[in-house]
Amino acid sequence: MPAPSRSKKDAPRAWQRMISGRRLDLLEPSPFDVEIEDIAHGLARVARWNGQTMGDHAFSVAEHSVVVLDILDHLYPGTEAKWRLAALLHDSPEYVIGDMISPFKAALGVNYRDFEDRLEAAIHLRFGLPPKTPKVIKRKIKRCDVICAYFEATQIAGFSHAESVKFFGRPPQDLEIAIKPLPVKQAQILFLDRFETVLSQLETR
């Protein structure tokens, strides 16, 4: 005997209420339900390395995103403002889904990536970016992301230099980054301030 079909009333909830009051559909996210304050609030409370880091505060995805932008500015000076904004927002879907470590993402497979891509597209459209970042820009941002991970690994996540080089490669010799985890509110303000700076540059062009 076939199982009874579920009505819409019985369907599991597939949206999240944000701190702004917005209700974000997780399966079909709309740019109209994306707010930068929600992103900053969420990313400042998501810990890199699943929180397994040294110090009194977790190193948040919000602060990581700012450092990645700083690295991009160092390695690729003159990058267009819209791609600098894309770098700052490169982990923005994590304000909803959290920061899953790479091995776990690989284990989940392509369905997770599709979900992440839909959410990223909605965020990009909300702030005037193309839904998909061009591959050449994506590669640059990824390089900066991996370099940031090297410094995080060696300074706060307990990796030796040799381990970090094995997993993340050697950073450029002329680049030194100090990883200093901030309290949640400071990380949130830092992210919002950098967003407003980059957005203002984008709007004046």
Side-chain angles (χ1 to χ4, degrees):
M1 183 176 179
S5 61
R6 275 187 164 183
S7 67
K8 284 189 176 180
K9 184 178 179 181
D10 296 328
R13 177 169 65 89
W15 53 266
Q16 180 173 338
R17 178 82 63 188
M18 297 299 166
I19 200 73
S20 65
R22 293 283 188 184
R23 195 171 85 168
L24 183 69
D25 188 318
L26 303 180
L27 300 179
E28 296 181 14
S30 166
F32 297 108
D33 293 322
V34 173
E35 300 291 349
I36 193 60
E37 292 79 10
D38 292 334
I39 293 173
H41 182 94
L43 295 186
R45 289 160 176 78
V46 176
R48 294 274 291 170
W49 307 93
N50 282 341
Q52 298 300 307
T53 52
M54 293 172 261
D56 294 333
H57 306 288
F59 189 65
S60 71
V61 175
E63 192 177 353
H64 162 82
S65 300
V66 172
V67 176
V68 168
L69 176 56
D70 289 341
I71 295 173
L72 182 82
D73 288 341
H74 177 85
L75 296 181
Y76 307 104
T79 298
E80 287 185 69
K82 63 181 177 180
W83 305 133
R84 295 181 68 238
L85 182 58
L88 183 66
L89 296 172
H90 78 282
D91 277 339
S92 52
E94 294 177 7
Y95 90 105
V96 174
I97 57 183
D99 182 25
M100 295 186 183
I101 59 175
S102 296
F104 191 47
K105 285 183 179 180
L108 287 176
V110 70
N111 288 339
Y112 174 86
R113 171 53 64 186
D114 288 345
F115 175 74
E116 194 173 38
D117 287 346
R118 285 197 300 273
L119 188 51
E120 183 177 75
I123 293 167
H124 276 205
L125 290 171
R126 171 64 176 83
F127 302 115
L129 297 174
K132 294 191 74 171
T133 305
K135 288 183 179 179
V136 64
I137 301 298
K138 212 168 184 68
R139 282 195 295 268
K140 289 179 179 180
I141 295 172
K142 184 60 180 178
R143 182 188 177 203
C144 299
D145 188 35
V146 171
I147 290 170
C148 188
Y150 167 89
F151 287 110
E152 294 171 23
T154 53
Q155 293 181 33
I156 62 172
F159 284 58
S160 68
H161 170 73
E163 282 180 312
S164 295
V165 169
K166 176 183 176 182
F167 292 116
F168 310 110
R170 295 180 185 275
Q173 290 186 345
D174 66 338
L175 182 64
E176 276 298 327
I177 298 291
I179 302 297
K180 298 178 180 178
L182 296 172
V184 166
K185 280 294 185 182
Q186 289 183 30
Q188 185 172 340
I189 291 169
L190 175 68
F191 182 89
L192 279 173
D193 284 350
R194 191 61 59 88
F195 172 84
E196 293 297 340
T197 299
V198 178
L199 189 65
S200 67
Q201 293 167 351
L202 183 61
E203 290 173 344
T204 56
R205 294 190 177 188

